[in-house]
Short mmCIF file of all heavy atoms in Angstrom, two decimals:
data_model
loop_
_atom_site.label_atom_id
_atom_site.label_comp_id
_atom_site.label_asym_id
_atom_site.label_seq_id
_atom_site.Cartn_x
_atom_site.Cartn_y
_atom_site.Cartn_z
N PRO B 361 29.10 10.40 26.66
CA PRO B 361 29.45 11.80 26.42
C PRO B 361 28.61 12.38 25.28
O PRO B 361 28.25 11.66 24.35
CB PRO B 361 30.93 11.73 26.01
CG PRO B 361 31.12 10.34 25.52
CD PRO B 361 30.17 9.47 26.27
N ASP B 362 28.32 13.68 25.36
CA ASP B 362 27.52 14.33 24.32
C ASP B 362 28.45 14.76 23.18
O ASP B 362 28.79 15.93 23.03
CB ASP B 362 26.77 15.53 24.91
CG ASP B 362 25.78 16.10 23.90
OD1 ASP B 362 25.41 15.36 22.96
OD2 ASP B 362 25.42 17.27 24.03
N HIS B 363 28.85 13.79 22.38
CA HIS B 363 29.79 14.02 21.29
C HIS B 363 29.10 13.66 19.98
O HIS B 363 28.25 12.75 19.94
CB HIS B 363 31.04 13.15 21.50
CG HIS B 363 32.16 13.44 20.55
ND1 HIS B 363 32.23 12.86 19.31
CD2 HIS B 363 33.22 14.25 20.67
CE1 HIS B 363 33.31 13.31 18.70
NE2 HIS B 363 33.93 14.16 19.50
N LEU B 364 29.44 14.35 18.89
CA LEU B 364 28.79 14.12 17.60
C LEU B 364 28.87 12.65 17.18
O LEU B 364 27.87 12.06 16.74
CB LEU B 364 29.44 15.01 16.52
CG LEU B 364 28.88 14.82 15.10
CD1 LEU B 364 27.41 15.24 15.01
CD2 LEU B 364 29.71 15.58 14.08
N LEU B 365 30.05 12.06 17.33
CA LEU B 365 30.25 10.67 16.93
C LEU B 365 29.33 9.73 17.73
O LEU B 365 28.73 8.80 17.18
CB LEU B 365 31.72 10.29 17.12
CG LEU B 365 32.16 9.01 16.41
CD1 LEU B 365 32.08 9.17 14.90
CD2 LEU B 365 33.58 8.64 16.83
N VAL B 366 29.24 10.02 19.02
CA VAL B 366 28.38 9.18 19.88
C VAL B 366 26.92 9.31 19.43
O VAL B 366 26.19 8.33 19.35
CB VAL B 366 28.53 9.62 21.36
CG1 VAL B 366 27.55 8.85 22.25
CG2 VAL B 366 29.96 9.39 21.83
N ARG B 367 26.54 10.55 19.10
CA ARG B 367 25.15 10.78 18.67
C ARG B 367 24.86 10.02 17.37
O ARG B 367 23.80 9.44 17.21
CB ARG B 367 24.90 12.28 18.46
CG ARG B 367 24.89 13.07 19.77
CD ARG B 367 24.09 14.35 19.63
NE ARG B 367 24.72 15.29 18.71
CZ ARG B 367 25.57 16.26 19.07
NH1 ARG B 367 25.88 16.42 20.34
NH2 ARG B 367 26.09 17.07 18.18
N ILE B 368 25.85 10.05 16.46
CA ILE B 368 25.67 9.33 15.18
C ILE B 368 25.53 7.83 15.43
O ILE B 368 24.65 7.17 14.87
CB ILE B 368 26.84 9.64 14.22
CG1 ILE B 368 26.77 11.10 13.76
CG2 ILE B 368 26.83 8.70 13.02
CD1 ILE B 368 27.97 11.58 12.98
N VAL B 369 26.41 7.29 16.28
CA VAL B 369 26.36 5.85 16.57
C VAL B 369 25.03 5.48 17.22
O VAL B 369 24.40 4.47 16.87
CB VAL B 369 27.56 5.43 17.47
CG1 VAL B 369 27.39 3.99 17.96
CG2 VAL B 369 28.87 5.58 16.70
N GLN B 370 24.58 6.33 18.14
CA GLN B 370 23.29 6.06 18.82
C GLN B 370 22.15 6.03 17.79
O GLN B 370 21.34 5.12 17.78
CB GLN B 370 22.99 7.16 19.83
CG GLN B 370 23.74 7.01 21.15
CD GLN B 370 23.40 8.17 22.07
OE1 GLN B 370 23.56 9.34 21.71
NE2 GLN B 370 22.95 7.85 23.26
N GLY B 371 22.14 7.06 16.95
CA GLY B 371 21.08 7.16 15.92
C GLY B 371 21.12 5.97 14.98
O GLY B 371 20.08 5.38 14.66
N ALA B 372 22.33 5.58 14.55
CA ALA B 372 22.47 4.46 13.62
C ALA B 372 22.02 3.15 14.28
O ALA B 372 21.36 2.31 13.63
CB ALA B 372 23.93 4.34 13.16
N ALA B 373 22.35 3.00 15.57
CA ALA B 373 21.97 1.76 16.27
C ALA B 373 20.44 1.66 16.38
O ALA B 373 19.85 0.61 16.10
CB ALA B 373 22.61 1.74 17.66
N VAL B 374 19.81 2.76 16.76
CA VAL B 374 18.35 2.75 16.90
C VAL B 374 17.71 2.48 15.53
O VAL B 374 16.81 1.64 15.41
CB VAL B 374 17.84 4.09 17.49
CG1 VAL B 374 16.31 4.17 17.43
CG2 VAL B 374 18.31 4.24 18.93
N PHE B 375 18.21 3.15 14.50
CA PHE B 375 17.63 2.98 13.16
C PHE B 375 17.77 1.52 12.69
O PHE B 375 16.84 0.95 12.12
CB PHE B 375 18.31 3.92 12.16
CG PHE B 375 17.84 3.72 10.75
CD1 PHE B 375 16.60 4.18 10.34
CD2 PHE B 375 18.62 3.02 9.83
CE1 PHE B 375 16.14 3.97 9.05
CE2 PHE B 375 18.17 2.80 8.53
CZ PHE B 375 16.92 3.29 8.15
N THR B 376 18.95 0.93 12.95
CA THR B 376 19.19 -0.45 12.50
C THR B 376 18.21 -1.42 13.18
O THR B 376 17.62 -2.29 12.52
CB THR B 376 20.64 -0.87 12.81
OG1 THR B 376 21.51 0.09 12.20
CG2 THR B 376 20.97 -2.23 12.27
N VAL B 377 18.04 -1.26 14.48
CA VAL B 377 17.14 -2.17 15.20
C VAL B 377 15.69 -1.96 14.74
O VAL B 377 14.95 -2.91 14.48
CB VAL B 377 17.26 -1.96 16.73
CG1 VAL B 377 16.21 -2.78 17.48
CG2 VAL B 377 18.65 -2.35 17.20
N VAL B 378 15.29 -0.68 14.62
CA VAL B 378 13.92 -0.37 14.19
C VAL B 378 13.66 -0.95 12.80
O VAL B 378 12.63 -1.58 12.55
CB VAL B 378 13.69 1.16 14.20
CG1 VAL B 378 12.41 1.52 13.44
CG2 VAL B 378 13.60 1.68 15.63
N THR B 379 14.62 -0.76 11.91
CA THR B 379 14.48 -1.26 10.53
C THR B 379 14.42 -2.78 10.50
O THR B 379 13.59 -3.37 9.80
CB THR B 379 15.64 -0.73 9.66
OG1 THR B 379 15.52 0.68 9.59
CG2 THR B 379 15.59 -1.30 8.26
N GLY B 380 15.29 -3.41 11.27
CA GLY B 380 15.28 -4.88 11.34
C GLY B 380 13.94 -5.39 11.84
O GLY B 380 13.40 -6.39 11.33
N ALA B 381 13.38 -4.68 12.80
CA ALA B 381 12.10 -5.13 13.38
C ALA B 381 10.94 -4.99 12.39
O ALA B 381 9.97 -5.73 12.47
CB ALA B 381 11.80 -4.34 14.65
N TRP B 382 11.03 -4.06 11.44
CA TRP B 382 9.95 -3.93 10.44
C TRP B 382 9.77 -5.20 9.63
O TRP B 382 8.73 -5.41 9.01
CB TRP B 382 10.24 -2.77 9.46
CG TRP B 382 10.14 -1.38 9.99
CD1 TRP B 382 11.01 -0.36 9.75
CD2 TRP B 382 9.11 -0.81 10.83
NE1 TRP B 382 10.60 0.79 10.38
CE2 TRP B 382 9.43 0.53 11.05
CE3 TRP B 382 7.96 -1.34 11.42
CZ2 TRP B 382 8.65 1.39 11.84
CZ3 TRP B 382 7.18 -0.50 12.20
CH2 TRP B 382 7.53 0.83 12.40
N LEU B 383 10.80 -6.03 9.61
CA LEU B 383 10.73 -7.27 8.85
C LEU B 383 9.51 -8.10 9.29
O LEU B 383 8.90 -8.80 8.48
CB LEU B 383 12.02 -8.07 9.07
CG LEU B 383 12.42 -9.11 8.04
CD1 LEU B 383 12.40 -8.55 6.64
CD2 LEU B 383 13.80 -9.66 8.37
N LEU B 384 9.17 -7.98 10.57
CA LEU B 384 8.03 -8.76 11.09
C LEU B 384 6.70 -8.22 10.55
O LEU B 384 5.68 -8.90 10.63
CB LEU B 384 8.03 -8.74 12.62
CG LEU B 384 9.17 -9.54 13.24
CD1 LEU B 384 9.32 -9.21 14.71
CD2 LEU B 384 8.95 -11.03 13.05
N PHE B 385 6.69 -7.00 10.04
CA PHE B 385 5.48 -6.46 9.40
C PHE B 385 5.31 -7.08 8.02
O PHE B 385 4.21 -7.31 7.57
CB PHE B 385 5.60 -4.94 9.25
CG PHE B 385 5.08 -4.16 10.43
CD1 PHE B 385 5.46 -4.48 11.72
CD2 PHE B 385 4.21 -3.11 10.24
CE1 PHE B 385 4.98 -3.77 12.80
CE2 PHE B 385 3.71 -2.39 11.31
CZ PHE B 385 4.10 -2.72 12.59
N LYS B 386 6.43 -7.28 7.35
CA LYS B 386 6.38 -7.78 5.97
C LYS B 386 6.34 -9.31 5.95
O LYS B 386 5.79 -9.90 5.03
CB LYS B 386 7.62 -7.26 5.23
CG LYS B 386 7.62 -7.44 3.75
CD LYS B 386 6.77 -6.42 3.02
CE LYS B 386 6.87 -6.61 1.53
NZ LYS B 386 5.95 -5.78 0.80
N LEU B 387 6.98 -9.92 6.92
CA LEU B 387 7.01 -11.39 6.99
C LEU B 387 6.38 -11.83 8.31
O LEU B 387 7.10 -12.03 9.30
CB LEU B 387 8.45 -11.90 6.89
CG LEU B 387 9.18 -11.63 5.58
CD1 LEU B 387 10.66 -11.96 5.70
CD2 LEU B 387 8.57 -12.43 4.43
N PRO B 388 5.07 -11.94 8.35
CA PRO B 388 4.40 -12.24 9.63
C PRO B 388 4.80 -13.58 10.25
O PRO B 388 4.64 -13.77 11.44
CB PRO B 388 2.91 -12.24 9.27
CG PRO B 388 2.81 -11.55 7.97
CD PRO B 388 4.11 -11.79 7.26
N ARG B 389 5.34 -14.51 9.43
CA ARG B 389 5.77 -15.79 10.03
C ARG B 389 7.21 -15.64 10.50
O ARG B 389 8.11 -15.33 9.71
CB ARG B 389 5.61 -16.93 9.03
CG ARG B 389 4.13 -17.25 8.82
CD ARG B 389 3.93 -18.40 7.89
NE ARG B 389 4.47 -19.64 8.42
CZ ARG B 389 4.28 -20.83 7.84
NH1 ARG B 389 3.56 -20.90 6.74
NH2 ARG B 389 4.81 -21.91 8.35
#
Side-chain angles (χ1 to χ4, degrees):
Chain B
D362 188 21
H363 188 274
L364 178 65
L365 196 65
V366 175
R367 290 204 294 267
I368 291 171
V369 171
Q370 280 179 305
V374 171
F375 176 75
T376 305
V377 173
V378 166
T379 295
W382 289 137
L383 202 51
L384 291 166
F385 270 49
K386 192 79 177 172
L387 295 170
R389 289 182 64 172

